[in-house]
Amino acid sequence: MGAVVMHNVVSVDGFIADENDDPGPLHEWYFSGDTPIGVGDGEGFDHSGAGSRFKVPSASSEYVRSTWDSLGTIVMGRRLFDLVNGWEGHPPAGDHVVVVSHRPKPEGWHPEASYHFVDGVAAGIAKAQELAGERTVAVNAGEVGGQILAAGLVDEVAMDVVPVVFGSGKRYFGSIDRQHLLEDPDVVIRSDRVLHLRFKVRR
């Protein structure tokens, strides 16, 4: 099985969006750089669901490209799915998406897309790993991501830290309520308007 990596862009004070689910400037570095990064035919999707070509800083390009190339499955919560309408059936990376939700897939929604609705985080990760095979499972941060970490199902934590302070909003680790130790960062990449960090979860 491939690694399960909790991954998101985050403010320096640990938020992935404000109280209204607006990420503000967190994703600007994806589109303001000098190096195009494509998915498949070169077209990607931003987090609003609108089609857009990614263009990242050169210092980020190899890390972003290799990360996206390694992905087999994305795991997300129902709230994010609803906010972006599942990226209209075209995830920004990977071939499959698992949505952790008590509600089923909306009737008639993009039947051609490999999106799987699973009730519960353990079942969600099991399905994601089955679909990903040896490739990486990426878990979106937030409430569902925090639940997956708390369940001991996350191997690594990856953070793209943007130099902005939110003060309040939606937390990277959701409402997780106990300490979890991480190893020293094994990836530290300083880029333009973003710092890429990656930590293994201590077992």
Side-chain angles (χ1 to χ4, degrees):
M1 293 291 182
V4 177
V5 180
M6 186 175 175
H7 181 216
N8 230 91
V9 183
V10 61
S11 69
V12 294
D13 55 344
F15 295 98
I16 58 175
D18 67 16
E19 298 289 358
N20 298 313
D21 295 298
D22 183 354
L26 290 180
H27 299 140
E28 289 178 358
W29 65 274
Y30 273 126
F31 307 100
S32 61
D34 52 12
T35 307
I37 299 289
V39 179
D41 61 358
E43 289 299 315
F45 286 82
D46 66 22
H47 287 267
S48 69
S52 180
R53 182 180 293 274
F54 291 106
K55 199 171 183 183
V56 302
S58 57
S60 299
S61 61
E62 183 178 347
Y63 176 71
V64 172
R65 185 179 288 111
S66 63
T67 297
W68 288 0
D69 286 348
S70 73
L71 292 185
T73 306
I74 291 174
V75 179
M76 65 195 306
R78 184 59 181 255
R79 185 172 184 82
L80 178 58
F81 174 85
D82 288 341
L83 284 170
V84 302
N85 196 29
W87 303 296
E88 299 297 340
H90 299 280
D95 299 318
H96 314 280
V97 173
V98 171
V99 182
V100 177
S101 175
H102 300 302
R103 292 177 286 141
K105 182 189 296 188
E107 188 175 349
W109 185 88
H110 294 285
E112 78 288 351
S114 182
Y115 278 59
H116 307 264
F117 286 63
V118 178
D119 188 356
V121 296
I125 291 299
K127 182 64 176 178
Q129 289 181 315
E130 173 193 329
L131 293 166
E134 296 301 315
R135 302 179 75 193
T136 301
V137 171
V139 174
N140 280 103
E143 286 299 329
V144 167
Q147 292 170 27
I148 294 170
L149 177 67
L153 300 172
V154 171
D155 299 310
E156 299 178 46
V157 171
M159 310 175 88
D160 300 321
V161 184
V162 172
V164 59
V165 175
F166 272 41
S168 65
K170 303 300 172 71
R171 296 168 58 193
Y172 182 98
F173 292 104
S175 54
I176 197 167
D177 61 358
R178 70 177 183 85
Q179 187 179 90
H180 294 266
L181 291 176
L182 308 178
E183 300 294 349
D184 292 336
D186 57 342
V187 172
V188 180
I189 299 172
R190 179 181 175 183
S191 187
D192 299 327
R193 304 302 298 167
V194 64
L195 173 67
H196 305 289
L197 299 173
R198 195 158 175 154
F199 311 81
K200 288 182 170 60
V201 177
R202 183 174 292 183
R203 301 298 188 193

